[in-house]
Amino acid sequence: MATMRAARLNVTTRTLEVTDVPRPVPGRDQVLVRVKAAGVCLSDVHLVDGSLAPLHLDGDTVTLGHEVSGVVEELGPEVLDVGVGDRVALQAGEHDRHGQVLTRGVDYDGGWAEYALAAADTLVPIPDALPFDEAAIIPDAVSTPWAAVTSSGDVRPAEAVCVWGVGGLGAHAVQLLRLVGAAPIIAADPDAQARARALDYGADEALDSTAEDFLTRIGQLTHGRGLDAAFDFAGVPVVREQAVKVLGEHGRLVLVGLTNRPLEVADGTRFSYLRQQILGHYGSEPEHVVQLVDLVEAGRLEFSRSISGSLPLEQAPEAVERLRKRIGSPVRIVLRP
């Protein structure tokens, strides 16, 4: 039996090990993809540390990696619209036979491996000019903030916005808000490197969210009207408390960062009078990934500066530690099998 290398997490013992496993064989309507690049996400860190757990995993171990790109290696039966050698990115999830949405690298084996199985309808063709490492991070690292900005947040041109947390997702949110014409774009982060990155990605102002005059500055930058949309990419209760205080009339607070802490609206009367909204957000839809690839091909977007480092698959545990400790304030670290 043919084998391959894969980074496997035991969700019971929380041990991550790169080991030999059987190379998968594509079944009906499946393809085998030779992985060229796979992103390392904060969700992977949370899976390893146990703060995030799979809901639908069959067994105790899973190959991590939901941000994946590569080349089609082998076709399963009844696959008609895909060819061997096609360059593709993989959607970050798929439906099981019962219609349940499963996440790649969480509920079933992902792309931290030499090869990955994928349903044929989850492949997104990528142009030759798009490098594999940049293509890999579009599902999730870019598509999640894109969906948050264009769908949940429904941001329109000239709307005042603020992004709390300028990490792997928040940095792209700034870039994408610039694309849709938001103004002003304010970034908020206590880390100086993150604030500098926010300006590089297109923020008009980058503020220290722990500064005493932080909320006052947002009022000044919005000419007293408050924010049309606030995006929490940090998942920290204090961020949400700050955001609610500076929302304007019809302002929307979009919760992207995950936390199990309660959210409190201190002044419910003001919140209702101004007809504000709090919106939960998670992930993206398949069309968002396709839209982003089209925008890259059209020359509207590029993500070369988002690749903070590239490591071989064998160093997957080191990549997780780098992200966990935020060494170098990375946007995305990519594994290359």
Side-chain angles (χ1 to χ4, degrees), residues 9 39 45 48 57 82-84 93 97 101 119 134 147 157 166 209 214 216 232 279 291 314 317 324 331 336:
L9 173 68
V45 176
V48 174
L57 178 64
V82 180
V84 172
R97 64 181 184 275
V101 178
E134 296 175 37
V166 195
S209 54
F214 171 62
T216 301
D232 171 23
L279 304 161
Q291 290 167 0
E314 298 294 329
R324 184 180 70 84
V331 176
R336 289 183 169 272

Side-chain angles (χ1 to χ4, degrees), residues 242-287:
Q242 290 177 336
V244 169
K245 291 178 181 177
V246 289
L247 285 180
E249 189 172 7
H250 298 289
R252 292 91 67 196
L253 168 57
V254 183
L255 309 180
V256 186
L258 303 178
T259 178
N260 58 3
R261 303 286 295 182
L263 170 63
E264 180 178 324
V265 177
D267 189 347
T269 300
R270 178 181 181 275
F271 187 87
S272 296
Y273 179 75
L274 295 178
R275 288 151 291 173
Q276 296 168 340
Q277 297 179 353
I278 298 174
L279 304 161
H281 181 85
Y282 185 82
S284 61
E285 298 298 326
E287 63 264 24

Side-chain angles (χ1 to χ4, degrees), residues 6-8 16-18 40 44 48 64 112-113 311-323 333 335-336:
R8 303 276 288 171
L16 177 63
E17 180 183 10
V18 182
V40 181
D44 300 311
V48 174
L64 296 181
W112 289 11
L311 295 174
L313 177 64
E314 298 294 329
Q315 293 180 267
E318 178 184 333
V320 169
E321 279 302 290
R322 282 195 194 182
L323 187 56
I333 298 171
L335 295 173
R336 289 183 169 272

Side-chain angles (χ1 to χ4, degrees), residues 31-216:
V31 301
L32 184 69
V33 173
R34 178 159 46 95
V35 177
K36 291 290 190 177
V40 181
C41 176
L42 199 57
S43 297
D44 300 311
V45 176
H46 293 328
L47 284 165
V48 174
D49 69 23
S51 58
L52 182 65
L55 295 177
H56 307 289
L57 178 64
D58 184 14
D60 294 328
T61 58
V62 64
T63 299
L64 296 181
H66 56 275
E67 299 178 350
V68 188
S69 68
V71 175
V72 174
E73 181 81 7
E74 184 180 343
L75 306 179
E78 301 185 28
V79 175
L80 302 176
D81 298 328
V82 180
V84 172
D86 286 357
R87 304 175 84 253
V88 295
L90 308 186
Q91 296 282 3
E94 57 188 56
H95 292 84
D96 66 11
R97 64 181 184 275
H98 305 297
Q100 176 68 51
V101 178
L102 306 179
T103 301
R104 186 183 311 279
V106 179
D107 299 310
Y108 65 100
D109 287 341
W112 289 11
E114 293 180 285
Y115 296 90
L117 276 182
D121 62 3
T122 66
L123 303 184
V124 179
I126 58 174
D128 291 343
L130 178 57
F132 285 112
D133 52 2
E134 296 175 37
I137 70 170
I138 291 177
D140 190 27
V142 188
S143 65
T144 292
W146 178 243
V149 166
T150 61
S151 182
S152 295
D154 192 25
V155 175
R156 305 301 175 88
E159 286 196 318
V161 299
C162 183
V163 172
W164 274 263
V166 195
L169 272 65
H172 292 122
V174 169
Q175 183 180 9
L176 298 167
L177 285 162
R178 187 87 179 189
L179 181 69
V180 301
I185 301 169
I186 306 165
D189 202 295
D191 181 74
Q193 285 182 278
R195 294 197 299 274
R197 176 168 58 231
L199 295 172
D200 182 49
Y201 275 63
D204 296 296
E205 294 282 346
L207 306 177
D208 182 347
S209 54
T210 65
E212 290 186 6
D213 65 343
F214 171 62
L215 297 182
T216 301

